[in-house]
Amino acid sequence: MSLLHDAVRAESLTVLSRFRAGFYDCLTARADALFELTDAVLCTDGPVRSLVDLALAPEHRRGHGSLYAGLNRGEMDVARLRRVLAGVPLPRAVDGRLVLAVDVSPWLRPDAGTVPDRSFCHTYGRGTAKHQMMPGWPYSVVVALESGRTSWSAFLDAVRLAPGADLAAVTADQVREVVERLVAAGQWSAGDPEILIVLDAGYDAPRIAHLLSGLPVEVLGRTRSDRVMRRPAPSREEFLLANPKGGRPPKHGGEFVFGDPATWGEEQAVTVTDTRLYGKATAQAWDRLHPRLTQRAAWGDHDGPLPVIEGTVIRLAVEHLPSGGVNKPVWLWWSRTGATPDDVDRFWQAFLRRFDLEHTFRFAKQTPGWITPKLRTPRGRGPLDLDPDRRSHPTPTRPAPRRRPPALGETDHADPLTPARVRRGFRNIRAHLTYPARVPKTTGTGPGRPPGAKSKHRAPRYDVGKTVKRPETLKAIGKPGRSW
């Protein structure tokens, strides 16, 4: 057992050292300052509150001036970093399938009038449960999810959404590039289960599935409870039996109203699972349902007839919620047909694993300080997912972290380390890892700004969420519109 543990530890250190060397090679300007800044973020005690605290960390051997210079003038080969992330070992589901989750997280900048490309980001009001729109930079993030009770997720890509961007189109392009990199890195090959893409209710899952056609992916997205789907169109024989006089055959079948059980009919698969937190979870699946598309909005520029995007609708209902809130069923849409009971169980459980991404966003913002720097330009940033195989040791001023009791069927060694606990112990294994940064050179103190001198360059101000300004109103240029 000890030999196996030593082999696993050595392999983990080798993988982590290889990733650190690859990350350093992606830094093309101010590489040493940025690399030491990354180590300071990973090794400092407690949450990152300011950049000055990082400059005082023992892992940051350079002066505070190099820290700001690295953030202002540092450069990174983002394409190369994305290839490095695609090549690291990724978590997989029980059947060996890659499960990717996509979501948007904002970097709020409500008071920064001098930063460009801000747009209104959706946030939840604190204490009042009201939806608010605040200026900031929204980022679309793709991660690989793990299975089981864990809060880990592996970052694969992050893209900033420009004001007025088409969320479905940007997401489809982002996922396509991620999947192509995974295939090129050998993470997926012919014969493997298709990659599952999990989306929340803010995405148009059928449209994204149509845009991702031709890739080895399946799309699983949450839909609103007030949606209406259509059944398959009747065959020519069925249509003639119902309409002896003939006519134009319909393109869509009967309606499937989510809020009206009378329109559901008989389901193709039903499963009942006993869960620890939710009681009995009942999942029902209806096959070959599609949304009725119209030649407007996102499909306004579509050439030719609108497609019929068939899939499987899954309804998940549980006995109770752990928080005691309002218990409402969850509706899911899967981009494949012919779901078996095993498929239904696997997909609704994969969707619940999507909430691990919310924990990742919270950890990235509150602990490593993803949104701590007040930058003038929206430069792409994101936390790195490092997972050294070593438990953290408590410091003299911090008690040992509490461990949850093992669940039924688990052993004591099945308790996974949280990202915060791994970061707490990262300083202990840093000496055993590759350190490609060079030793800093001793320099004198810079002259700084002369006393009494003021900056003569006034920073420009930018509007929020506006990309094009009309010189005239619609009424002035003769186009029909609302009369005010």
Side-chain angles (χ1 to χ4, degrees):
M1 188 67 181
S2 177
L3 295 177
L4 178 61
H5 182 271
D6 293 341
V8 172
R9 181 176 182 272
E11 177 64 20
S12 301
L13 295 176
T14 301
V15 173
L16 185 54
S17 296
R18 189 183 306 116
F19 174 78
R20 286 167 61 86
F23 170 70
Y24 181 80
D25 294 337
C26 297
L27 305 176
T28 57
R30 304 279 179 169
D32 299 327
L34 290 177
F35 191 86
E36 289 196 356
L37 176 61
T38 305
D39 269 3
V41 170
L42 295 174
C43 297
T44 187
D45 294 330
V48 176
R49 302 297 185 186
S50 65
L51 296 178
V52 177
D53 295 338
L54 296 178
L56 299 178
E59 290 74 19
H60 193 273
R61 302 176 297 177
R62 289 165 170 78
H64 71 279
S66 65
L67 185 148
Y68 292 100
L71 290 177
N72 292 328
R73 302 184 181 91
E75 298 292 340
M76 176 186 296
D77 189 347
V78 180
R80 185 171 183 175
L81 178 60
R82 286 168 173 163
R83 292 193 296 269
V84 172
L85 291 174
V88 300
L90 297 179
R92 296 177 182 268
V94 178
D95 58 349
R97 182 194 306 266
L98 283 172
V99 181
L100 308 183
V102 187
D103 204 352
V104 176
S105 182
W107 183 345
L108 299 181
R109 303 297 303 275
D111 301 326
T114 60
V115 298
D117 297 337
R118 290 185 303 165
S119 57
F120 288 102
C121 305
H122 177 269
T123 59
Y124 289 97
R126 295 181 175 88
T128 59
K130 293 183 179 179
H131 302 276
Q132 297 178 349
M133 303 299 291
M134 300 183 65
W137 294 321
Y139 283 84
S140 176
V141 179
V142 180
V143 302
L145 298 179
E146 289 194 3
S147 60
R149 297 167 59 185
T150 176
S151 58
W152 282 99
S153 60
F155 267 82
L156 293 176
D157 192 55
V159 174
R160 184 178 58 86
L161 300 176
D166 187 347
L167 179 60
V170 174
T171 302
D173 293 339
Q174 182 183 17
V175 172
R176 179 177 293 274
E177 293 177 359
V178 170
V179 171
E180 291 175 351
R181 289 195 296 268
L182 293 177
V183 174
Q187 301 282 7
W188 185 92
S189 57
D192 294 343
E194 292 187 329
I195 302 174
L196 183 63
I197 311 297
V198 185
L199 309 170
D200 204 3
Y203 293 88
D204 189 353
R207 185 183 173 210
I208 293 179
H210 176 73
L211 295 175
L212 294 177
S213 59
L215 291 178
V217 298
E218 300 174 359
V219 177
L220 178 67
R222 183 177 182 178
T223 61
R224 301 190 311 270
S225 59
D226 58 351
R227 289 290 301 270
V228 177
M229 292 283 181
R230 290 302 187 99
R231 301 184 185 277
S235 62
R236 181 67 177 176
E237 292 76 11
E238 294 174 346
F239 173 74
L240 292 177
L241 289 176
N243 302 272
K245 296 183 179 180
R248 183 178 180 180
K251 189 176 181 180
H252 310 280
E255 290 185 344
F256 183 94
V257 184
F258 287 10
D260 187 5
T263 63
W264 296 353
E266 184 179 359
E267 54 271 60
Q268 275 66 42
V270 181
T271 62
V272 180
T273 307
D274 292 329
T275 62
R276 183 178 60 89
L277 296 177
Y278 306 100
K280 287 187 177 181
T282 304
Q284 303 166 274
W286 291 269
D287 202 13
R288 299 191 64 190
L289 295 177
H290 65 273
R292 182 179 179 180
L293 307 179
T294 56
Q295 198 79 32
R296 61 181 180 180
W299 300 94
D301 299 334
H302 183 78
D303 296 332
L306 294 176
V308 176
I309 310 172
E310 290 188 341
T312 302
V313 172
I314 302 174
R315 180 182 183 269
L316 175 64
V318 298
E319 285 186 334
H320 56 81
L321 298 179
S323 59
V326 180
N327 189 2
K328 295 182 179 180
V330 175
W331 291 90
L332 306 174
W333 185 87
W334 178 46
S335 61
R336 294 290 186 268
T337 58
T340 63
D342 293 338
D343 293 333
V344 174
D345 276 342
R346 181 167 59 251
F347 292 141
W348 72 257
Q349 293 179 24
F351 175 77
L352 294 185
R353 291 262 61 89
R354 192 207 68 83
F355 291 96
D356 294 341
L357 182 54
E358 305 294 340
H359 298 290
T360 301
F361 286 149
R362 181 179 180 180
F363 169 77
K365 292 180 179 181
Q366 294 184 356
T367 304
W370 172 22
I371 58 176
T372 297
K374 306 302 180 183
L375 302 182
R376 182 67 61 83
T377 58
R379 313 185 66 173
R381 302 176 67 247
L384 300 178
D385 186 10
L386 304 179
D387 187 6
D389 187 16
R390 180 186 175 110
R391 295 190 178 275
S392 59
H393 297 280
T395 60
T397 59
R398 181 185 292 112
R402 297 175 59 185
R403 298 176 58 189
R404 68 166 178 85
L408 183 62
E410 293 183 344
T411 62
D412 183 66
H413 298 284
D415 184 17
L417 293 175
T418 62
R421 289 173 61 185
V422 171
R423 175 177 177 265
R424 204 175 300 163
F426 183 78
R427 179 175 286 171
N428 299 325
I429 66 172
R430 179 173 171 269
H432 305 282
L433 300 175
T434 300
Y435 195 82
R438 294 168 294 186
V439 178
K441 300 178 181 179
T442 57
T443 57
T445 305
R449 181 179 295 177
K454 296 182 179 181
S455 177
K456 299 180 181 180
H457 302 283
R458 181 178 176 83
R461 264 61 178 174
Y462 300 93
D463 295 327
V464 181
K466 294 182 178 179
T467 55
V468 178
K469 293 183 178 180
R470 285 199 183 99
E472 298 175 299
T473 63
L474 294 177
K475 185 177 180 180
I477 60 179
K479 287 188 176 182
R482 181 181 297 177
S483 59
W484 300 93

